[in-house]
């Protein structure tokens, strides 16, 4: 049976502590033998079949001895695979290093190029020891993608000459100038083999049906090169083919010869490209692994500093043995993960296979036409110019940086192009910081001043001119669409605000993040918001002309304070303003309560009714006088740290707070506070979030949803499933209801919605796991405990009958209770919440589709408990019949 427990930071230390053997313990088991999983063997073969032709092709493209590609592939597999920090990343000669290596060979010769590779490896070792791997990822993605695109263009133009039967020149410009002459002297045999290679490479993955699925298990690169080789051999075409000299004549590294400054620049360039490509590849592998839950628990996240050390060691070995520079290769790494690799053994075994091929398969390799390898590498170069990357940088307004980096790499070189891209990126950032757009318009008598961009002293003159165009005595909304304000802008806005309100006007400051903020007794809400913005946050506040004092107010007339108290502590906070109660003429504030006359006071609960506040306890952190949000009629009061109060009578339990003194309509027309809050939230999404997720949502719209798990939880508004599971669009198939209940099969009395969702998730979406998540302070469990026999059979009571088995399970003395690790449940409600998760998992197993998937091993069931007040998640562990809930801590992320 399942159970759940929080893992603290100290747990990992305790788990590592070696326990002393007990006097009567059984003898220790013998040491485990070294074993290689079958999945690793099959994955290594798949990667080897991809790496072999690519390694030869990249060596051909650089002008190096063809054996150098095999040496680099073996060193990457064996050395980087064993020592690197990303177990499933496959390293070897990479297309991204082709241009750098070709330029080094042209300038300094092969032996000096090998020496540069060794020095670059030493530099990577130093960087790994300094633990700066994360810093390398700070390079703008536009620069990285631009660099790879420029390298891809350079490769494609150079290999085009070999495809046509000629010889490439030393630079892109020279290759372009020589292209017309090459087109006039085409070699039909080379072109035919190249076209055949490209056709197989393009069409092989697109064969439809079951046959296509079987065929795709063989890498397209291998099929393309093998097909061209077989055709050339059978037809007897006269072609230039692979020539592998004897290993006894293979050139090794020598002492670097050339100008010291040039050698240093070469080492710097090689180190930069190798390191950035390897680290980005490790991050990409982490994303692939995270998409496979069973694999992520076994492999863990990459250690980027260790990956740098492993890459450095591989480059030292490769350069010393006369191999090409080594880096992580995205194509081989993704193939390794998709082929089912479960450890670094697959990477190392692929290196062993490369060594075997280099020693025993030379006669076969020498049958491969050079034109086929050139076509293969040209295709790789074209793929490096990614349309997806171009769309991404365009969406983020960094296309200029991308274009300049690409052109710089193509026409000047890799190092020069990257430096040029960095320069342009810095210039663009400075321009955005200095460029601020300020507009002013009037709508329905309200003046709007919109500040787009960062507000610095450079924009103060324009801001001052715009603000002084606002007529006196009017209401002004100043919208700051930025994240930074310096002191000069702060002083300017504050001085204008004081002057404007002194003349009877009102001012409201809004921004990207709006929330509750207490202005304090000595400053207005506008000043508090300015202080927030000046320190990097933006809050929505309102200040009016100085309100009349109590003495100025008519007898019996109240004075009101409409200072917004929103605090922007996180961007996803469900903000709510606290409009204070009117102050009577006597000057003493009224008793702070937001309860209407026909609702119970805070601290009392209506019997059998979720959606009311529980008594305030020591954990609640309650503050009377503010409305709160409730979700689906569930209890908002217990252990949440929220303010007591209940939903208004017009829309109970819907999340709309009630403030007496501010009547609001429950019609949902959007004209009241709730409607404007909804509109503001939608507007903020369209402005800030939609541009960031539009591409991913478009992909999901094209491909359809493929969630990995069904997440069944309570409808309580405090449970944000995407937040507590760190998931995004397309990850979770979510079912929410009151009490996270799973009715047993055949007992839904006409409401089959939960069973339908389970069947659809398991049989159609093929989810790999189902999680039942309960939470603390559940109003449904409170209603079950307080239920009295008899009374009207309301829809809520009819639904909650599916929770009665949980109540009976808790009352059964013959069964152990579900419990939390480290402490006892706080009260009967929490005990029932835990028990309910275990009971609903039993109901879940009774559904036919779930039982069948469990028998086939295609599905896992998980229990989860979320303590709202502690923001702590607990997972159910297989402990005993009652269920033990063990907490998940930060230390578990690295496990």
């Amino acid at each position: 049976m399942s159970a759940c427990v929080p893992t603290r930071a100290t747990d990992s230390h305790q788990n590592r502590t070696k326990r002393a053997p007990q006097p009567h313990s059984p003898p220790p088991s013998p040491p485990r033998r070294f074993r290689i999983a079958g999945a690793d063997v099959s994955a290594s073969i798949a990667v080897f079949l991809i790496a072999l032709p690519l390694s030869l092709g990249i060596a051909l493209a650089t002008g190096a001895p063809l054996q150098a590609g095999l040496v680099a592939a073996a060193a990457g597999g064996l050395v980087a695979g064993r020592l690197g920090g990303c177990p499933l990343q496959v390293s070897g000669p990479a297309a991204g290093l082709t241009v750098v290596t070709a330029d080094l060979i042209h300038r300094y010769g092969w032996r000096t190029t090998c020496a540069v590779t060794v020095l670059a490896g030493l530099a990577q070792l130093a960087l790994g020891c300094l633990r700066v791997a994360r810093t390398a990822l700070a390079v703008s993605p536009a620069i990285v993608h631009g660099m790879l695109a420029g390298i891809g263009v350079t490769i494609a133009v150079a290999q085009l000459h070999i495809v046509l039967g000629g010889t490439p020149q030393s630079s892109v410009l020279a290759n372009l100038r020589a292209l017309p002459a090459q087109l006039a002297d085409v070699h039909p045999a080379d072109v035919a083999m190249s076209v055949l290679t490209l056709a197989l490479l393009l069409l092989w993955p697109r064969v439809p049906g079951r046959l296509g699925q079987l065929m795709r298990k063989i890498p397209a690169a291998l099929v393309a090169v093998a097909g061209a080789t077989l055709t050339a051999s059978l037809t007897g075409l006269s072609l230039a083919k692979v020539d592998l000299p004897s290993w006894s004549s293979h050139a090794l590294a020598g002492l670097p010869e050339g100008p010291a400054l040039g050698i240093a620049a070469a080492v710097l360039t090689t180190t930069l490209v190798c390191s950035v490509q390897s680290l980005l590849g490790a991050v990409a592998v982490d994303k692939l692994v995270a998409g496979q839950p069973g694999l992520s628990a076994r492999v863990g996240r990459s250690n980027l500093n260790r990956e740098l050390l492993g890459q450095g060691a591989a480059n030292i070995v490769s350069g010393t043995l006369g191999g090409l520079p080594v880096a992580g290769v995205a194509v081989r790494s993704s193939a390794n993960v998709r082929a089912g690799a479960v450890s670094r053994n697959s990477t190392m075994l692929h290196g062993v296979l490369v060594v075997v091929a280099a020693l025993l398969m030379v006669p076969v390799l020498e049958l491969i036409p050079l034109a086929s390898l050139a076509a293969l590498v040209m295709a790789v170069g074209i793929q490096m110019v990614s349309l997806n990357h171009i769309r991404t940088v365009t969406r983020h307004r960094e296309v200029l940086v991308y274009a300049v980096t690409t052109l710089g790499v193509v026409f000047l070189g890799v190092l020069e192009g990257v430096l040029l891209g960095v320069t342009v990126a810095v210039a663009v950032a400075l321009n955005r910081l200095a460029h601020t757009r300020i507009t002013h318009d009037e709508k329905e008598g309200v003046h709007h001043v919109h500040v787009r961009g960062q507000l610095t002293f450079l924009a103060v003159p324009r801001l001052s001119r715009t603000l002084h165009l606002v007529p006196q005595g009017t209401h002004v909304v100043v919208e700051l669409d930025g994240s930074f304000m310096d002191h000069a802008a702060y002083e300017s806005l504050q001085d204008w605000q004081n002057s404007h309100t002194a003349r009877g006007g009102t001012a409201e400051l809004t921004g990207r993040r709006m929330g509750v903020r207490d202005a304090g007794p000595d400053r207005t809400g506008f000043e508090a918001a300015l202080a927030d913005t000046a320190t990097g946050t933006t809050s929505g506040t309102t200040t009016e002309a100085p309100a009349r004092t109590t003495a100025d107010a008519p007898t019996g007339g109240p004075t009101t304070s409409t200072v917004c108290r929103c605090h922007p502590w996180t961007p996803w906070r469900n903000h709510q303003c606290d409009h204070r109660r009117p102050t009577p003429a006597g000057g003493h504030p009224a008793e702070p309560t937001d309860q209407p006359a026909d609702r119970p006071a805070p601290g009392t609960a209506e019997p059998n009714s979720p959606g009311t506040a529980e008594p305030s306890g020591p954990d609640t952190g309650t503050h009377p006088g503010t409305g709160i949000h409730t979700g689906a009629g569930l209890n908002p009061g217990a252990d949440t740290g929220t303010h007591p109060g209940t939903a208004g009578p017009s829309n109970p339990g819907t999340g709309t707070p009630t403030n007496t003194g501010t009547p609001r309509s429950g019609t949902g027309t959007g004209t009241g506070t709730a409607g404007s809050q909804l509109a503001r939230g939608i507007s903020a999404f369209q402005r800030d979030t939609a541009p960031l997720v539009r591409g991913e949502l478009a992909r999901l719209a094209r491909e359809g949803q493929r969630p990995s798990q069904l997440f069944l939880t309570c409808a309580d508004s405090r449970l944000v499933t995407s937040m507590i599971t760190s998931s995004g669009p397309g990850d979770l198939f979510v079912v929410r209801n009151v009490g996270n209940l799973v009715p047993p099969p055949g007992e839904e009395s006409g409401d089959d919605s939960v069973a339908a969702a389970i069947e659809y998730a398991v049989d159609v979406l093929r989810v790999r796991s189902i999680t039942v998540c309960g939470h603390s302070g559940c109003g449904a469990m409170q209603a079950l405990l307080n239920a009295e026999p008899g009374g009207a059979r309301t829809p809520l009571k009819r639904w909650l009958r599916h929770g009665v088995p949980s109540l009976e399970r808790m009352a059964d003395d013959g069964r152990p209770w579900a419990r939390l690790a480290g402490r006892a449940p706080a009260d009967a409600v929490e005990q029932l919440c835990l028990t309910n998760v275990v009971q609903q998992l039993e109901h879940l197993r009774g559904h036919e589709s779930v039982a069948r998937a469990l028998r086939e091993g295609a599905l896992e069931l998980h229990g989860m408990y979320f303590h709202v007040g502690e923001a702590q998640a607990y997972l159910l562990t297989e402990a005993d019949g009652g269920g033990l809930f063990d907490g998940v801590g930060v230390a578990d992320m690295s496990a």
Side-chain angles (χ1 to χ4, degrees):
M1 187 60 66
S2 10
C4 308
V5 188
T7 302
R8 307 298 178 191
T10 56
D11 293 345
S12 57
H13 172 74
Q14 294 170 354
N15 292 337
R16 290 194 296 266
T17 304
K18 187 176 180 180
R19 295 182 178 179
Q22 299 298 322
H24 299 289
S25 60
S29 58
R32 294 181 59 185
R33 295 180 179 178
F34 175 74
R35 293 182 180 178
I36 299 179
D40 283 334
V41 175
S42 60
S44 68
I45 295 174
V47 174
F48 162 72
L49 295 177
I50 295 173
L52 188 63
L54 280 177
S55 300
L56 293 172
I58 291 170
L60 173 68
T62 61
L66 295 185
Q67 293 104 319
L70 301 177
V71 171
L78 292 171
V79 181
R82 179 66 185 88
L83 303 178
C86 183
L88 300 187
Q89 174 159 259
V90 181
S91 301
L97 294 161
T98 303
V99 175
V100 178
T101 310
D103 184 59
L104 289 177
I105 295 173
H106 177 73
R107 289 189 182 188
Y108 304 113
W110 173 241
R111 293 171 67 87
T112 298
T113 300
C114 292
V116 169
T117 302
V118 173
L119 293 175
L122 292 172
Q124 286 181 301
L125 288 180
L127 293 175
C129 293
L130 293 175
R131 307 183 68 81
V132 297
R134 289 285 175 188
T135 306
L137 296 179
V139 181
S140 169
I143 297 174
V144 175
H145 298 325
M147 178 189 73
L148 295 177
I151 292 172
V153 170
T154 306
I155 292 173
V157 173
Q159 297 309 298
L160 181 59
H161 283 270
I162 302 179
V163 166
L164 297 175
T167 304
Q169 305 301 313
S170 59
S171 67
V172 176
L173 288 176
N175 281 318
L176 291 175
R177 283 194 296 265
L179 193 56
Q182 184 64 62
L183 289 173
D185 186 23
V186 171
H187 292 67
D190 292 288
V191 173
M193 290 303 98
S194 299
V195 170
L196 176 61
T197 301
L198 292 174
L200 289 173
L201 199 63
L202 181 66
L203 298 177
W204 187 261
R206 291 171 171 78
V207 177
R210 185 179 298 273
L211 178 62
Q213 293 180 351
L214 295 175
M215 293 170 61
R216 280 192 289 273
K217 293 184 177 180
I218 305 176
L222 177 68
V223 172
V225 174
T229 302
L230 184 62
T231 303
S233 300
L234 294 178
T235 57
L237 293 175
S238 177
L239 293 165
K241 297 182 179 179
V242 169
D243 181 19
L244 294 175
S246 171
W247 285 103
S248 60
S249 62
H250 179 63
L252 303 180
L255 293 176
E257 298 178 1
L261 191 59
I263 297 295
V267 172
L268 176 61
T269 305
T270 306
T271 304
L272 172 68
V273 178
C274 288
S275 301
V276 171
Q277 184 165 344
S278 299
L279 294 176
L280 291 176
V283 173
V285 169
D286 281 347
K287 293 179 181 179
L288 290 175
V289 171
Q292 304 182 30
L295 183 60
S296 60
R298 185 168 182 174
V299 175
R301 293 182 63 85
S302 299
N303 183 331
L304 297 185
N305 290 302
R306 179 178 172 181
E307 181 64 20
L308 262 186
L309 294 173
Q311 296 293 334
N315 273 312
I316 292 173
V317 172
S318 180
T320 302
L321 298 179
L324 292 172
V326 171
V329 187
V331 175
R332 296 172 220 178
S333 301
S334 60
N336 192 36
V337 176
R338 292 192 175 100
V342 295
S343 73
R344 63 178 71 246
N345 291 334
S346 64
T347 304
M348 297 172 62
L349 188 56
H350 126 271
V352 172
L353 293 175
V354 170
V355 172
V356 173
L359 296 177
L360 303 180
M361 294 179 60
V362 172
V364 176
L365 297 178
E366 289 184 336
L367 297 175
I368 300 175
L370 293 182
S372 178
L373 293 179
L376 176 64
V377 176
M378 186 178 73
V380 173
I382 294 172
Q383 291 172 355
M384 292 173 70
V385 186
S386 170
L387 293 178
N388 185 47
H389 290 162
I390 294 175
R391 284 193 292 265
T392 301
V393 298
T394 302
R395 188 166 62 246
H396 291 284
R397 298 184 299 161
E398 292 186 333
V399 68
L400 178 62
V401 178
Y402 178 90
V404 168
T405 306
T406 301
L407 295 176
V409 170
V410 170
F411 294 109
L412 300 177
V414 175
L415 184 60
E416 294 84 353
V418 169
L419 292 177
L420 194 59
V422 171
T423 303
V424 174
V426 172
V428 169
L430 291 176
N431 177 68
R432 290 176 180 173
L433 183 62
H435 182 70
T436 306
R437 182 183 177 189
I438 304 174
T439 59
H440 167 231
D441 60 350
E442 180 185 358
K443 295 178 182 177
E444 300 178 355
V446 178
H447 291 262
H448 296 266
V449 176
H450 186 194
V451 181
R452 186 182 182 90
Q454 315 310 320
L455 197 52
T456 65
F457 67 94
L458 297 173
V460 167
R462 286 184 290 126
L463 176 66
S464 180
R465 285 196 300 269
T466 304
L467 291 175
H468 282 85
L469 293 176
V470 178
Q472 298 179 5
T474 58
H475 179 62
V476 185
V477 177
V478 180
E479 183 175 352
L480 302 179
D481 193 3
S483 59
F484 175 75
M485 177 194 300
D486 69 4
H487 186 70
Y490 169 81
E491 291 288 350
S492 177
L493 270 175
Q494 190 178 47
D495 292 343
W496 168 82
Q497 177 262 331
N498 292 334
S499 173
H500 187 72
T501 54
R503 290 174 172 81
T506 60
E508 179 182 349
L509 180 67
T510 64
R512 285 177 178 265
R513 294 186 289 175
M514 301 168 56
V516 177
R517 180 73 169 176
D518 190 354
D522 300 324
R523 61 178 182 172
T524 65
F526 194 96
E527 292 167 339
L530 286 180
D532 285 343
T533 310
T535 57
T537 56
T538 305
S539 59
T541 64
T542 306
T543 183
E544 297 185 351
R548 292 179 296 175
T549 63
T550 306
D552 297 328
T555 305
T559 61
T560 61
S561 173
T562 58
V563 176
C564 180
R565 300 166 61 84
C566 289
H567 182 61
W569 53 276
T570 53
W572 44 261
R573 169 75 190 267
N574 191 7
H575 305 298
Q576 177 55 40
C577 300
D578 168 25
H579 298 289
R580 298 175 181 174
R581 296 273 298 176
T583 303
H588 300 288
E591 184 66 25
T593 175
D594 287 339
Q595 294 304 117
D598 59 344
R599 300 286 291 179
T604 62
E606 295 179 352
N608 307 329
S609 174
T612 59
E614 289 185 356
S616 302
D619 281 332
T620 60
T622 54
H623 301 281
T626 58
I628 61 168
H629 293 273
T630 61
L634 298 185
N635 173 30
D639 63 49
T640 64
T642 57
H643 312 294
T646 56
S650 59
N651 40 11
T654 61
T656 305
T658 300
N659 291 300
T660 58
T662 308
R664 73 179 56 172
S665 169
T667 60
T669 60
T671 59
T673 304
S676 61
Q677 181 183 356
L678 175 64
R680 283 198 305 270
I682 297 173
S683 176
F685 167 80
Q686 294 297 148
R687 181 183 65 234
D688 303 331
T689 308
L692 302 179
V693 301
R694 188 171 287 119
E696 176 66 11
L697 292 178
R699 182 188 67 81
L700 290 171
R702 292 192 305 270
E703 301 176 1
Q705 62 168 331
R706 288 179 291 180
S708 60
Q709 62 175 301
L710 165 62
F711 198 87
L712 197 150
T713 189
C714 186
D716 193 293
S717 64
R718 298 164 297 178
L719 285 180
V720 185
T721 56
S722 59
M723 179 181 70
I724 63 178
T725 58
S726 299
S727 56
D731 292 339
L732 300 180
F733 187 70
V734 182
V735 174
R736 306 188 70 151
N737 59 52
V738 177
N740 48 275
L741 300 177
V742 181
E747 293 189 15
E748 294 203 43
S749 300
D751 179 11
D752 293 325
S753 61
V754 177
I758 293 171
E759 180 182 348
Y760 183 77
V762 175
D763 292 342
V764 179
L765 298 179
R766 302 289 183 181
V767 297
R768 295 188 294 272
S769 69
I770 301 179
T771 301
V772 176
C773 177
H775 68 97
S776 61
C778 181
M781 300 300 104
Q782 175 73 37
L784 277 172
L785 285 172
N786 294 340
E788 297 179 358
R793 296 284 291 176
T794 64
L796 179 59
K797 285 187 175 181
R798 287 197 299 271
W799 171 253
L800 289 181
R801 78 184 188 279
H802 301 303
V804 172
S806 301
L807 201 60
E808 295 172 346
R809 183 189 191 99
M810 188 177 76
D812 187 354
D813 294 334
R815 289 186 173 185
W817 277 9
R819 63 195 189 282
L820 294 169
R823 69 173 177 86
D827 51 26
V829 175
E830 185 168 54
Q831 180 65 67
L832 183 56
C833 292
L834 298 172
T835 305
N836 184 57
V837 172
V838 179
Q839 183 63 37
Q840 301 311 314
L841 285 172
E842 283 199 4
H843 291 177
L844 197 57
R845 291 185 181 92
H847 286 261
E848 181 182 353
S849 56
V850 175
R852 182 175 61 253
L854 288 174
R855 287 194 303 270
E856 296 171 354
L859 184 67
E860 297 177 352
L861 299 186
H862 302 287
M864 178 176 167
Y865 175 74
F866 185 74
H867 194 288
V868 178
E870 298 175 356
Q872 174 65 57
Y874 296 79
L875 283 178
L876 212 54
T877 60
E878 297 291 339
D880 53 29
L884 177 66
F885 287 83
D886 199 4
V888 180
V890 177
D892 297 329
M893 295 175 61
S894 59

